[in-house]
Amino acid sequence: MLFLTRITPAQTPPGRVQWSVNDNWRFKPSGSEFAMLAKTSDNAWERINLPHTWNAKDPFDDDATYRRGISWYRKTLFVDESLKDKKVYLYFEGANQVSDVYVNGAFVGQHKGGYTAFSFDITGSLNFGADNLIAVQVNNAQDNFIPPLSVGFALYGGIYRDVWLIAVNKLHFNMADHASSGIFISTPKVSAQQATVNIRGSVKNDGTGSKTFEIIHQIYDAQQKLVTTVKQNLLANAGQTKEFNLTSGDISSPNLWSPENPYLYTVVSQVIEAGKVVDEIRNPLGFRWFSFSPDTGFSLNGKKCVLRGTNRHQDMEGKGSALSNEDHIRDMKLIKEMGCNFVRLAHYPQDPEVLRMADKLGLLVWEEVPVVNNMNVDAEFLNNSKNMLREMIRQHYNHPSVIVWGSMNEVLLWSKDSERIQVQTDTAYVNGVKKFAVQLDSTVRAEDPTRYSTMAMHMSDDYEKYGFANIAAVSGWNIYNGWYSGEVAEFSKLFNEKHRLYPHEVLLISEYGAESDKQINTENPQRLDFSGQYQRYYHESYLAQMKNMPYLAGTAIWNEFDFSQPNVGGTMSHMNHKGMATWDRKPKDVYYLYKANWNPEPMVYVATRDWLKRGGKPGAPSTIDVYANTGEVTLTVNGKSYGTHKPDGVNKLSWKVTLQEGDNVVLATGIKDGITYADRVVVHYSVFDDKIAPGFSSLAVNTGSNAQYIDDAGQIWIEDRPYKKGGYGYIGGTQAMLNIKTLITHTNDTPLFYSYQDDVKGYRFDVPDGRYELELCFIEPEKIDKNERVFNVSVNGSLFLRNIDLAAEYGQGVAVKKKVIAEAKNGQGVFVEFGKVKGNPVLSGIRLVRQ
């Protein structure tokens, strides 16, 4: 079947024209011989539209693999005869990661790298007035010479950004400069009183004879009023690329660009031949000046400006990396509405719409290339990395939002043998990486002396020991004390000491964060429990400490949105859930902590929407937290007032309240400037008494955990407790959690299996006599050999499981559920006994249901 797009004369005005060619592609998820040739049928191929990735779902397979390899895309394109006198380019905003492009069977070019744009001149391969076959082979397989090598995010394969057909006249702005616009705009002089604009670039004459022409740049303000014009007459011989470099006169009282006032001018650049516009490009322009200081941090337009930021990965649930422009716009608005004025685009250049929205919304940008963790100190790898830097900088050079270019991230975290290590001991390898780092940083400075260079480093002394921290102009540091290890209070202590020891360093926190899962909640949060309460505690502490660190240039939360991270564990396998919002872009409670502190718009928010269904003892105190920037807040529950509180240093207020069984209406109210702001939620409370009542029906326990787990059916698995007569609980053992890197597979109840009771001796339910279904949940938490952990399980004295060996039967990380019917007789309840044969018995969950 033939699907084609028609490019017709009605769409071809005199200058440059551009069409989206996103629709009606054919896709084959494998290699194919002669797929670039028209004789090869694509009738059986899948019909798709761009953007597209073939990895939207498979990074979450239980076997911890996702397909990285070759796929093919094809499209039939009718190109009108009227375009035969133009130069025609195929422009890709992004395809991951090696793309080979063919037109009518002819190879037109290859691009390496998955995150920058590329374009090819396809004029000579087109059939004008006829159908044309576009074929693209895309390969996202691991390549040791193309960054990234070690990937802490999914390397989605596909043509996942927009594709355009661009037609220009033979005399045109240069289309061959790293897929840039061919025009580069800077502001060599800016103040509140006056500014100048420098515009440089090049024009290509693809005609057969020499051409005399005029370059005109017109600068318009936001109301489309002409501010100034600069122009130059030039002569270009046939085939010649002619450069230009023009500077405007003084522009009086420029409207300065800032996060509070993201005022944009527009530069309209034209090539005029014989009085006719033959090419035109529009670029944004923002007047601002900025600087970094090791003592006072960051300043913008002559005033101190604390960078309040976050990181952003581009993927999303159900779509992978193939987001629409509307998705990108929504993301940037969510970041701005949280109160951010800064965003790090990690760990790669992002969609043009992201940069456009940063300009429009007033978000300062750190953009970087994907030289992440693992390094290959080889010339080819270095050259590919340099090329990525040039492409990123030249393509996004004209965005006033960009203030720093990043060249690498945590490059001393891995050894030359691709192993994650704590301390580097191979001096030769480290020196090779350092030379590499110097060259990349030098590339940044040479490409764009108007901005700052940076690199992100993890909290290792090696960066200072080997001189890495002195390479870039700004030192970015990724810190997770209080999550992966240590305590949250170490944050300011570590950086106060770093500032004392290395007073020349400009310090910027490029990553910090803790993970949360909306299905996990607790009154007693602890490190690594994945509860929303611990995530909020972590960020509340860091935020409070930042306010007393005036030398910091700024901070960037890791991450704004949960994102895919194949082959990592925790309570959601293959996910990094440190986000302020979930993978499907629903803000978590912690989002509003930052909004209450960073966004001046008055607000009151009851921070319990991540825990609207909770359980506990009758009459037990329940915590209700509120984030508000209105000052004092009054809280009522079911109409009963619990008083008026003042916020702490991070605009948090807390109450201990009594929730009744069933629904509870929680109302928080604040007043600012005479206006009342309120937030109302309904919390459903289920009673779980320590004593088992005669009417007992069921109970599920999140064994070995301090937290409650709510499963997909809405059932609460209550936090664990030691046994007390008349009730229920464990006998013996200690609470434990899996290693955070361990994958949990073969279950939809992943959070339930993350914790376990280690060396458990028994579990007792003092339930009434009767017949019960007992469910036991197991997982092998360690990577051990068979026969290293063997135990028996008996129920009310009857052997249920003999010599169970989880490692031998299932392997590490495989969730196992076992059910048995148990009879409670003579007031003895149900008693589960674990008999040690070798190693410690373990239990991850237990559920008892009366039949």
Side-chain angles (χ1 to χ4, degrees):
M1 185 179 293
L2 178 68
F3 295 97
L4 58 85
T5 297
R6 298 182 65 86
I7 304 301
T8 64
Q11 297 169 291
T12 55
R16 175 181 300 232
V17 288
Q18 182 170 325
W19 306 269
S20 165
V21 287
N22 286 345
D23 62 315
N24 288 340
W25 286 75
R26 287 289 194 163
F27 170 71
K28 183 177 182 181
S30 64
S32 180
E33 288 188 343
F34 309 114
M36 73 289 292
L37 302 180
K39 69 178 183 179
T40 301
S41 173
D42 59 14
N43 286 345
W45 295 21
E46 180 185 357
R47 180 183 177 184
I48 58 99
N49 293 325
L50 305 180
H52 176 264
T53 175
W54 63 78
N55 293 124
K57 294 183 173 61
D58 67 352
F60 307 96
D61 292 345
D62 268 346
D63 61 4
T65 62
Y66 65 108
R67 195 176 75 80
R68 295 187 61 181
I70 290 172
S71 293
W72 278 91
Y73 294 85
R74 296 198 349 170
K75 177 180 176 63
T76 300
L77 189 69
F78 180 89
V79 180
D80 196 84
E81 181 78 18
S82 64
L83 296 179
K84 67 180 180 180
D85 292 327
K86 292 184 178 288
K87 297 290 288 184
V88 182
Y89 294 82
L90 199 57
Y91 189 98
F92 296 78
E93 291 182 357
N96 206 358
Q97 74 175 352
V98 178
S99 303
D100 294 291
V101 182
Y102 301 83
V103 176
N104 295 323
F107 176 73
V108 296
Q110 181 185 77
H111 181 259
K112 294 180 179 180
Y115 302 101
T116 46
F118 56 96
S119 68
F120 298 119
D121 180 355
I122 63 172
T123 312
S125 301
L126 286 173
N127 297 317
F128 294 95
D131 292 340
N132 295 267
L133 177 64
I134 310 297
V136 186
Q137 176 186 277
V138 182
N139 187 354
N140 72 330
Q142 177 82 5
D143 189 316
N144 289 333
F145 300 103
I146 302 175
L149 297 183
S150 60
V151 186
F153 48 94
L155 197 76
Y156 297 96
I159 306 177
Y160 69 96
R161 292 181 185 163
D162 294 331
V163 179
W164 303 88
L165 198 74
I166 301 174
V168 295
N169 289 306
K170 294 293 179 67
L171 185 66
H172 58 88
F173 288 110
N174 189 5
M175 290 283 295
D177 190 354
H178 297 79
S180 71
S181 67
I183 297 170
F184 305 96
I185 301 168
S186 61
T187 51
K189 183 171 69 175
V190 185
S191 70
Q193 289 73 43
Q194 59 185 14
T196 59
V197 180
N198 178 262
I199 308 169
R200 59 181 175 84
S202 57
V203 173
K204 180 71 183 295
N205 179 11
D206 280 315
T208 56
S210 61
K211 293 182 179 291
T212 300
F213 58 94
E214 186 178 33
I215 297 292
I216 295 181
H217 305 287
Q218 296 174 310
I219 300 175
Y220 292 88
D221 65 15
Q223 289 72 44
Q224 300 305 308
K225 179 182 177 182
L226 182 63
V227 176
T228 190
T229 300
V230 292
K231 61 180 67 176
Q232 182 181 7
N233 292 318
L234 294 170
L235 170 66
N237 296 323
Q240 184 180 14
T241 299
K242 195 73 173 182
E243 295 184 353
F244 57 85
N245 192 324
L246 301 170
T247 300
S248 73
D250 288 344
I251 297 171
S252 299
S253 302
N255 205 327
L256 300 180
W257 186 98
S258 70
E260 297 75 28
N261 178 44
Y263 191 95
L264 290 173
Y265 294 78
T266 301
V267 178
V268 180
S269 301
Q270 296 176 329
V271 179
I272 297 180
E273 183 185 13
K276 179 182 177 183
V277 177
V278 295
D279 198 11
E280 179 178 295
I281 292 178
R282 293 171 178 251
N283 278 294
L285 169 65
F287 289 109
R288 79 284 183 268
W289 78 97
F290 56 89
S291 62
F292 287 90
S293 163
D295 297 317
T296 58
F298 180 71
S299 68
L300 178 67
N301 300 331
K303 300 177 182 177
K304 181 176 175 61
C305 174
V306 178
L307 297 173
R308 305 184 306 267
T310 189
N311 284 263
R312 190 244 185 190
H313 266 299
Q314 67 184 4
D315 65 335
M316 179 181 175
E317 184 177 20
K319 294 187 175 185
S321 59
L323 274 63
S324 66
N325 282 348
E326 290 74 20
D327 291 325
H328 295 302
I329 292 169
R330 178 209 54 237
D331 281 6
M332 298 301 277
K333 285 183 175 179
L334 279 169
I335 290 170
K336 183 69 175 182
E337 288 166 7
M338 195 175 80
C340 291
N341 61 14
F342 172 60
V343 60
R344 178 185 178 211
L345 303 180
H347 287 299
Y348 38 77
Q350 298 195 9
D351 193 276
E353 193 67 16
V354 172
L355 278 298
R356 189 186 73 83
M357 288 305 296
D359 293 342
K360 180 179 179 180
L361 295 173
L363 286 166
L364 295 154
V365 169
W366 161 336
E367 192 169 32
E368 63 189 37
V369 291
V371 180
V372 181
N373 303 145
N374 198 3
M375 302 291 293
N376 180 358
V377 286
D378 179 272
E380 184 177 351
F381 186 85
L382 174 61
N383 289 335
N384 284 331
S385 301
K386 284 182 176 180
N387 190 61
M388 288 181 184
L389 274 171
R390 292 190 184 98
E391 288 178 332
M392 174 183 72
I393 293 171
R394 296 190 191 188
Q395 289 167 22
H396 297 160
Y397 187 93
N398 296 331
H399 290 285
S401 54
V402 178
I403 55 173
V404 286
W405 302 113
S407 60
M408 51 180 50
N409 178 81
E410 296 184 346
V411 292
L412 296 183
L413 188 60
W414 291 64
S415 72
K416 71 174 183 179
D417 298 319
S418 302
E419 295 177 349
R420 190 170 178 139
I421 58 175
Q422 297 296 319
V423 178
Q424 290 285 349
T425 57
D426 189 333
T427 304
Y429 170 72
V430 172
N431 286 335
V433 175
K434 183 179 178 181
K435 290 179 182 178
F436 189 111
V438 169
Q439 291 190 58
L440 289 187
D441 188 76
S442 297
T443 301
V444 171
R445 295 175 188 247
E447 283 289 321
D448 188 0
T450 71
R451 294 180 172 96
Y452 286 74
S453 66
T454 188
M455 71 167 72
M457 299 167 280
H458 70 290
M459 294 297 289
S460 167
D461 293 338
D462 284 342
Y463 292 100
E464 265 118 6
K465 176 181 177 181
Y466 293 105
F468 280 74
N470 298 324
I471 295 172
V474 175
S475 295
W477 290 97
N478 303 341
I479 179 169
Y480 292 97
N481 290 59
W483 180 241
Y484 293 118
S485 63
E487 303 291 337
V488 292
E490 295 168 359
F491 169 53
S492 58
K493 293 177 183 177
L494 286 167
F495 277 93
N496 287 341
E497 181 65 5
K498 188 179 288 291
H499 180 55
R500 186 186 70 81
L501 292 174
Y502 309 102
H504 62 282
E505 276 191 43
V506 175
L507 298 176
L508 193 157
I509 309 303
S510 40
E511 295 180 20
Y512 67 100
E515 299 188 62
S516 71
D517 182 337
K518 284 190 173 185
Q519 293 181 289
I520 297 289
N521 290 282
T522 181
E523 286 283 353
N524 301 291
Q526 58 186 246
R527 187 174 67 84
L528 294 177
D529 67 6
F530 286 87
S531 69
Q533 291 70 35
Y534 186 83
Q535 186 188 42
R536 292 195 291 115
Y537 162 75
Y538 174 101
H539 282 280
E540 288 160 5
S541 177
Y542 269 56
L543 187 58
Q545 293 174 74
M546 290 169 196
K547 295 185 177 184
N548 297 308
M549 301 162 72
Y551 54 85
L552 282 183
T555 56
I557 302 161
W558 188 263
N559 197 281
E560 187 66 13
F561 308 107
D562 292 348
F563 62 92
S564 170
Q565 187 173 359
N567 306 314
V568 298
T571 63
M572 289 191 282
S573 296
H574 309 292
M575 287 293 299
N576 187 310
H577 28 122
K578 296 185 181 74
M580 301 294 98
T582 58
W583 202 29
D584 59 353
R585 291 354 191 216
K586 293 181 175 63
K588 303 177 186 179
D589 286 337
V590 70
Y591 176 97
Y592 295 93
L593 163 68
Y594 284 98
K595 186 172 182 179
N597 284 273
W598 289 354
N599 188 332
E601 181 180 342
M603 59 158 282
V604 173
Y605 177 82
V606 180
T608 191
R609 281 175 174 79
D610 294 344
W611 198 11
L612 291 176
K613 188 173 184 178
R614 60 173 75 180
K617 301 175 186 178
S622 294
T623 303
I624 299 293
D625 294 328
V626 171
Y627 297 127
N629 57 12
T630 57
E632 294 183 343
V633 173
T634 301
L635 187 82
T636 65
V637 179
N638 300 323
K640 175 184 176 181
S641 176
Y642 280 85
T644 300
H645 289 183
K646 293 182 178 180
D648 65 10
V650 292
N651 286 336
K652 177 187 175 183
L653 310 94
S654 294
W655 289 261
K656 292 292 185 181
V657 306
T658 301
L659 298 177
Q660 66 186 20
E661 188 167 12
D663 288 344
N664 296 263
V665 178
V666 180
L667 178 66
T669 306
I671 300 173
K672 188 169 186 178
D673 298 328
I675 300 174
T676 299
Y677 298 89
D679 190 32
R680 177 184 181 274
V681 298
V682 177
V683 178
H684 187 86
Y685 190 73
S686 298
V687 171
F688 296 92
D689 204 340
D690 281 345
K691 298 288 186 180
I692 291 180
F696 174 89
S697 60
S698 67
L699 183 67
V701 183
N702 188 13
T703 311
S705 178
N706 63 306
Q708 298 176 12
Y709 161 59
I710 302 177
D711 66 21
D712 291 341
Q715 178 168 26
I716 298 174
W717 294 70
I718 201 73
E719 59 266 55
D720 208 357
R721 64 201 64 194
Y723 168 74
K724 291 183 180 179
K725 188 173 178 60
Y728 63 94
Y730 62 84
I731 299 169
T734 57
Q735 291 189 343
M737 292 180 277
L738 269 64
N739 184 294
I740 197 171
K741 300 297 183 183
T742 301
L743 285 171
I744 299 169
T745 64
H746 297 82
T747 183
N748 291 323
D749 290 310
T750 304
L752 180 64
F753 291 88
Y754 174 67
S755 60
Y756 62 98
Q757 190 73 5
D758 186 37
D759 201 19
V760 61
K761 303 297 188 297
Y763 217 98
R764 181 177 288 279
F765 296 88
D766 288 342
V767 292
D769 289 354
R771 188 176 174 86
Y772 295 86
E773 180 184 87
L774 174 69
E775 182 178 50
L776 303 175
C777 304
F778 302 101
I779 195 168
E780 175 49 62
E782 299 178 82
K783 193 172 184 178
I784 59 176
D785 294 329
K786 64 180 181 180
N787 298 323
E788 290 192 41
R789 187 194 311 277
V790 182
F791 57 94
N792 299 319
V793 181
S794 298
V795 180
N796 286 345
S798 297
L799 185 64
F800 170 40
L801 299 171
R802 179 190 297 275
N803 291 336
I804 184 169
D805 185 338
L806 297 169
E809 295 183 46
Y810 308 101
Q812 184 189 21
V814 177
V816 181
K817 292 183 178 181
K818 299 284 188 179
K819 292 183 180 181
V820 65
I821 301 300
E823 194 81 25
K825 299 178 180 179
N826 303 319
Q828 297 301 306
V830 174
F831 177 54
V832 185
E833 186 176 9
F834 298 85
K836 181 186 301 188
V837 177
K838 186 176 182 181
N840 292 343
V842 293
L843 180 67
S844 289
I846 189 167
R847 175 162 53 183
L848 192 67
V849 180
R850 190 163 192 170
Q851 298 294 287

